[in-house]
């Protein structure tokens, strides 16, 4: 046979057609009879008297001795070679042929139909298509019978002598199914054939059980179709990479046979969890990270966040250090919500400001949040969860924590409580809350629901965050400062922040509000910065900001010697100018006693 080569072994091959696939096929091809010397317990049969009742391994010495007695043995020599072992008990195995039931892969073009339909399925990652195609191409007929006392019985009735299936088998299937549906699986054992067929003396029930992969492979019919309607196609099948050989394939083959279509639109494959050294987690190695332990110590959402933030397409590394970093990531997102919620406690629907009337910075952040929503929803649709959570986290850290929330603290804390300037900011915070809580819900489910239930701004909309829809209204670009101009403004702000930080490190400055910022820039930059007018220093979080036209860009930071307002902490010459409020600036007086300051840009 083709399995015998000149490169390995002696060239003299022992062939046992009942104990190996290659042996069986070559003997079948050459009309050599199959002799099965083992019974169903893998012990030698009684007709082999000197080894009767022995397992194959223990019989080896006796067989060798018998060969020696008959002078039929040329040489005996022990040598090491690979040999199949039980994965659970680690004991040696022996293959033996038994009568089984098969589903043909070629009759009715089952395998051909499967290969055609897998091309219409979305495979994540894309290499899943090549993997299942290669497995289907070389797949043998499917053995669906098992010799077990548990499981779904194969309800066949066969002739005692020739093993032929009863001629009324199709009708019998329906009758047996009705009995089992009423009385349970064990009804098959109690069922008496004389109640169903007249020639019951010539026939027997089979005692085989169905392959469990057939059980799981028909969930598209037994579960999905029963719940969602006939011939429903699931949006997603999700499992490990080993299931291209298992569930993905058994589901595909049964669905092709029954419906002519694949049972799924998308198949997503994930890797396995390994430790920091890339080793498979096992109790014997002591490197198992218990999900329940993570849940108990860090919370369920930390576990969910770790899963979502890991690229599932390859092996996923889990360790205490990685989970600690995940906790830090979670806290940044949660703290963002705490800040937003804390500043919406006095905000109602009738306080909202129309978009066109909002302050320019507030318009900018709403548009950024809507872009985030579009990007994240696209990533969710593509099952790129690690990129989705990365975008959400980066938005909380950069656009919000690094820019917007840092700048608007002054407006939230010092402007008149019901002023347009403050309400404009709260309108944006309210929209941020609504967008981001929905975006985190698929991953940080418990946190999202906790936020929803504790916020009156949210729970008046729906009973749960999971019963809501996304607001997919278009981005409104109506603004006097376009996106490229904002990008340049924030680049300049970053440069200012670095210069201020250098001054603080040299102990020349206590905080950014103690600074006077002088920016020298070209005419293009000056034109952009001048759009902010006298509100530029609010954006830079300084007490004063000046700009001048120069060919080369540079920043000078000076320490202000003006008195400090005890309310807003800005340094300004107006502090102490009134007897009624000797410790605060004129801006704070306006926000306390008058109508409040007016803002347009920051």
């Amino acid at each position: 046979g083709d399995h015998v080569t000149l490169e390995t072994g002696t060239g003299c091959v022992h062939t046992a057609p009942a104990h190996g696939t290659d042996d069986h096929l070559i003997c079948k091809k050459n009309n050599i009879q199959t002799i099965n010397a083992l019974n169903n317990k893998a012990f030698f049969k009684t007709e082999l008297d000197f080894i009767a009742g022995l397992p194959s391994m223990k019989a080896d010495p006796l067989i060798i001795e018998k060969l020696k007695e008959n002078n039929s043995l040329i040489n005996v020599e022990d040598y090491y070679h690979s040999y199949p072992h039980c994965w659970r008990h680690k004991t040696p195995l022996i293959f033996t042929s038994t009568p089984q039931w098969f589903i043909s892969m070629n009759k009715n073009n089952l395998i051909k139909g499967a290969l055609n339909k897998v091309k219409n399925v979305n495979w994540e990652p894309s290499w899943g298509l090549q993997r299942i195609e290669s497995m289907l191409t070389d797949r043998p007929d499917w053995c669906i019978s098992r010799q077990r006392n548990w499981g779904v019985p194969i309800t066949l009735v066969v002739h005692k002598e020739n093993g032929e299936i009863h001629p009324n088998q199709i009708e019998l299937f329906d009758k047996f199914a009705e009995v089992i549906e009423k009385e349970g699986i064990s009804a098959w054992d109690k069922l008496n054939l004389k109640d169903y067929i007249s020639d019951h003396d010539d026939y027997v029930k089979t005692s085989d059980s169905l392959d469990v992969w057939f059980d799981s492979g028909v969930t598209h019919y037994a579960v999905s179709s029963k719940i969602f309607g006939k011939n429903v196609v699931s949006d997603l099948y999700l499992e490990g990479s080993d299931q291209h050989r298992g569930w993905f394939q058994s589901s595909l083959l049964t669905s092709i046979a029954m419906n002519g279509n694949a049972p799924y639109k998308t198949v997503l494959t994930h890797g396995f969890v390994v430790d920091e050294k890339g080793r498979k987690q096992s109790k014997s190695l002591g490197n198992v990270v218990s999900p329940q332990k993570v849940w108990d110590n860090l919370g369920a959402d930390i576990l969910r966040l770790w899963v979502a933030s890991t690229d599932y397409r390859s092996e996923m590394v889990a360790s205490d250090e990685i989970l600690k970093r995940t906790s830090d990531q979670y806290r940044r997102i949660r703290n963002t919500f705490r800040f937003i919620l804390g500043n919406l406690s006095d905000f109602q629907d009738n306080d909202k400001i129309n978009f066109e009337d909002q302050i320019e910075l507030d318009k900018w952040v709403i548009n950024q949040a809507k872009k985030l929503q579009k990007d994240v929803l696209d990533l969710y649709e593509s099952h790129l969860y690690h990129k989705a959570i990365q975008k959400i986290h980066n938005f909380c850290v950069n656009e919000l924590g690094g820019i917007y929330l840092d700048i608007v603290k002054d407006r939230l804390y010092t402007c008149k409580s019901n002023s347009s300037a403050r309400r404009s900011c709260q309108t944006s915070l309210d929209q941020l809350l609504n967008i981001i809580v929905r975006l985190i819900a698929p991953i940080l489910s418990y946190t999202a629901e906790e936020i929803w239930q504790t916020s009156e701004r949210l729970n008046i909309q729906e009973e749960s965050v999971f019963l809501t829809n996304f607001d997919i209204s278009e981005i409104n670009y109506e603004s006097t400062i376009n996106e490229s101009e904002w990008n340049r403004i924030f680049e300049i702000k970053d440069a200012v922040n670095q210069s201020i930080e250098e001054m603080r490190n040299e102990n020349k400055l206590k905080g950014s509000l103690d600074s006077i910022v002088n920016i020298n820039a070209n005419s293009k930059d000056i034109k952009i910065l001048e759009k902010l007018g006298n509100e530029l220093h609010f954006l830079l979080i300084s007490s004063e900001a000046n700009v001048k036209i120069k060919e080369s860009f540079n920043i000078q930071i000076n320490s202000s010697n003006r008195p400090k307002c005890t309310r807003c902490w800005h340094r300004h010459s107006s502090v102490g100018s009134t007897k009624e409020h000797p410790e605060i600036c004129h801006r704070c007086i306006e926000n306390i006693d008058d109508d409040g300051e007016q803002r347009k840009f920051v």
Side-chain angles (χ1 to χ4, degrees):
D2 295 335
H3 62 291
V4 182
T5 64
L6 297 175
E7 286 74 28
T8 56
T10 63
C12 183
V13 180
H14 161 263
T15 301
H19 303 288
T21 304
D22 290 327
D23 295 17
H24 180 81
L25 293 175
I26 195 66
C27 288
K28 185 177 180 181
K29 183 178 179 181
N30 290 277
N31 297 317
I32 297 174
Q33 183 183 359
T34 296
I35 300 173
N36 200 328
L38 300 178
N39 61 22
N40 59 4
K41 293 184 179 179
F43 295 159
F44 280 101
K45 293 180 178 178
T46 53
E47 52 262 39
L48 300 167
D49 54 354
F50 74 102
I51 52 173
L54 290 176
S56 60
M57 298 297 173
K58 290 187 177 180
D60 281 351
L62 297 176
I63 294 171
I64 291 171
E65 192 61 36
K66 180 67 72 174
L67 290 170
K68 285 180 178 178
E69 288 178 13
N70 296 331
N71 293 319
S72 301
L73 193 62
I74 298 172
N75 184 45
V76 178
E77 182 180 335
D78 291 334
Y79 69 99
Y80 289 99
H81 62 100
S82 62
Y83 191 84
H85 282 66
C86 173
W87 67 270
R88 184 183 291 274
H89 300 97
K90 308 296 188 287
T91 51
L93 300 172
I94 186 167
F95 294 99
T96 184
S97 64
T98 54
Q100 303 292 344
W101 297 101
F102 290 83
I103 294 177
S104 171
M105 293 295 104
N106 296 314
K107 286 183 180 178
N108 299 319
N109 294 317
L110 180 57
I111 206 73
K112 185 178 179 181
L115 284 167
N116 286 335
K117 294 299 180 180
V118 291
K119 293 180 174 64
N120 301 327
V121 175
N122 176 36
W123 296 88
E124 295 287 349
S126 58
W127 51 256
L129 175 60
Q130 287 74 38
R131 182 174 172 84
I132 198 162
E133 280 182 330
S134 65
M135 290 181 172
L136 288 171
T137 301
D138 300 323
R139 184 194 166 102
D141 290 341
W142 183 3
C143 177
I144 60 166
S145 53
R146 297 291 185 272
Q147 287 66 57
R148 296 193 180 105
N149 291 328
W150 53 268
V152 177
I154 297 178
T155 55
L156 287 170
V157 176
V158 296
H159 198 277
K160 287 180 180 179
E161 301 298 328
N162 58 29
E164 291 293 323
I165 296 173
H166 195 278
N168 297 332
Q169 183 63 60
I170 294 176
E171 291 85 355
L172 290 173
F173 274 144
D174 291 333
K175 292 178 180 179
F176 297 154
E178 287 178 10
V179 174
I180 290 172
E181 189 172 8
K182 289 178 183 177
E183 302 178 23
I185 292 293
S186 59
W188 175 247
D189 296 328
K190 304 170 188 174
L191 189 143
N192 196 323
L193 286 181
K194 70 178 181 180
D195 298 329
Y196 298 92
I197 54 176
S198 57
D199 49 354
H200 55 86
D201 289 334
D202 299 327
Y203 286 86
V204 292
K205 299 181 297 180
T206 58
S207 58
D208 298 326
S209 296
L210 269 173
D211 175 16
V212 291
W213 288 115
F214 190 95
D215 293 354
S216 61
V218 293
T219 49
H220 57 83
Y221 170 78
V223 179
S224 300
S225 290
K226 300 296 183 185
I227 296 173
F228 302 109
K230 191 176 180 182
N231 298 333
V232 67
V233 178
S234 296
D235 292 312
L236 176 69
Y237 270 40
L238 166 68
E239 256 294 354
S241 55
D242 56 333
Q243 295 307 316
H244 289 94
R245 191 182 303 279
W247 186 45
F248 298 155
Q249 197 174 139
S250 63
S251 299
L252 174 69
L253 293 172
T254 55
S255 184
I256 294 293
M258 296 170 72
N259 307 316
N261 289 307
Y264 34 65
K265 298 174 185 175
T266 297
V267 173
L268 187 147
T269 307
H270 60 77
F272 295 96
V273 179
V274 296
D275 66 13
E276 61 270 22
K277 295 180 181 178
R279 300 176 301 176
K280 178 184 175 183
Q281 295 197 5
S282 68
K283 291 179 181 177
S284 59
L285 291 174
N287 63 346
V288 174
V289 176
S290 166
Q292 187 63 53
K293 184 179 177 182
V294 176
W295 187 306
D296 293 339
N297 294 340
L298 299 175
D301 274 352
I302 302 297
L303 186 64
R304 295 175 66 88
L305 181 58
W306 167 75
V307 172
S309 58
T310 305
D311 188 350
Y312 60 81
R313 293 170 295 185
S314 55
E315 307 294 37
M316 298 179 288
V317 180
S319 68
D320 292 337
E321 179 60 31
I322 288 173
L323 289 166
K324 182 179 178 296
R325 291 202 297 268
T326 303
S327 298
D328 294 337
Q329 187 181 18
Y330 170 79
R331 272 193 292 273
R332 291 190 189 100
I333 296 172
R334 188 179 180 91
N335 286 341
T336 301
F337 279 105
R338 289 182 65 184
F339 180 90
I340 292 172
L341 289 166
N343 285 283
L344 288 175
S345 58
D346 64 338
F347 184 73
Q348 303 297 328
D349 281 345
N350 56 9
D351 296 321
K352 286 184 178 180
I353 304 292
N354 292 330
F355 183 86
E356 57 270 17
D357 298 325
Q358 279 189 274
I359 288 169
E360 295 300 318
L361 184 64
D362 299 333
K363 293 180 182 179
W364 169 82
V365 81
I366 287 175
N367 285 337
Q368 293 302 306
K370 286 189 174 182
K371 285 182 181 178
L372 171 73
Q373 177 178 273
K374 183 181 183 304
D375 291 344
V376 170
L377 293 182
D378 287 344
L379 291 168
Y380 279 155
E381 287 291 331
S382 303
H383 310 292
L384 297 173
Y385 309 110
H386 61 295
K387 291 186 177 180
I389 199 63
Q390 189 178 60
K391 273 198 172 288
I392 295 170
H393 174 260
N394 289 345
F395 184 80
C396 290
V397 171
N398 299 324
E399 279 84 348
L400 295 186
I403 298 176
Y404 183 72
L405 299 183
D406 202 28
I407 294 171
V408 298
K409 284 176 184 176
D410 176 82
R411 214 174 346 137
L412 288 168
Y413 300 159
T414 67
C415 286
K416 203 171 186 70
S417 61
N418 61 351
S419 65
S420 295
R422 187 166 179 270
R423 294 306 191 198
S424 173
C425 179
Q426 287 180 307
T427 300
S428 290
L429 291 179
D430 186 63
Q431 196 148 353
L432 286 170
L433 174 66
N434 274 275
I435 289 173
I436 303 174
V437 74
R438 287 169 167 84
L439 290 180
I440 68 165
I443 295 170
L444 302 178
S445 304
Y446 293 96
T447 301
E449 187 65 6
E450 178 191 358
I451 292 167
W452 193 273
Q453 296 302 331
T454 55
S455 169
E456 291 184 5
R457 297 293 309 148
L458 298 172
N459 57 42
I460 59 171
Q461 300 174 35
E462 287 287 353
E463 187 179 343
S464 167
V465 65
F466 300 106
L467 299 176
T468 65
N469 293 316
F470 288 96
D471 176 10
I472 53 173
S473 58
E474 292 295 319
I475 295 171
N476 192 334
Y477 290 102
E478 186 181 328
S479 176
T480 58
I481 304 174
N482 62 42
E483 187 169 7
S484 64
E485 289 172 336
W486 275 120
N487 290 339
R488 180 54 185 157
I489 288 169
F490 294 134
E491 285 176 2
I492 294 171
K493 176 176 167 56
D494 283 341
V496 170
N497 289 346
Q498 290 176 20
S499 298
I500 290 175
E501 194 60 32
E502 289 172 6
M503 292 278 287
R504 292 182 66 182
N505 292 337
E506 295 171 4
N507 294 320
K508 295 178 180 178
L509 201 67
K510 285 187 176 180
S512 64
L513 286 175
D514 296 320
S515 68
I516 298 173
V517 178
N518 297 299
I519 300 173
N520 296 319
N522 60 35
S523 58
K524 185 179 179 181
D525 284 344
I526 293 293
K527 187 177 179 181
I528 295 172
L529 293 174
E530 284 181 342
K531 285 191 173 186
L532 301 177
N534 60 4
E535 297 178 25
L536 175 60
H537 74 98
F538 290 122
L539 183 130
L540 301 177
I541 314 179
S542 64
S543 286
E544 186 179 335
N546 306 299
V547 294
K548 288 183 180 179
I549 294 180
K550 287 283 182 74
E551 288 185 9
S552 59
F553 178 84
N554 68 77
I555 296 167
Q556 293 177 347
I557 307 295
N558 297 319
S559 179
S560 176
N561 56 9
R562 290 172 178 170
K564 183 176 183 178
C565 175
T566 57
R567 184 173 180 270
C568 69
W569 291 16
H570 283 71
R571 291 186 176 274
H572 199 271
S573 58
S574 64
V575 175
S577 60
T578 62
K579 291 181 180 180
E580 292 83 0
H581 302 288
E583 295 182 337
I584 62 176
C585 65
H586 70 86
R587 185 173 69 94
C588 286
I589 294 171
E590 186 179 359
N591 285 324
I592 294 171
D593 294 339
D594 299 326
D595 295 334
E597 65 178 309
Q598 299 298 311
R599 299 274 192 100
K600 288 185 177 180
F601 305 103
V602 183

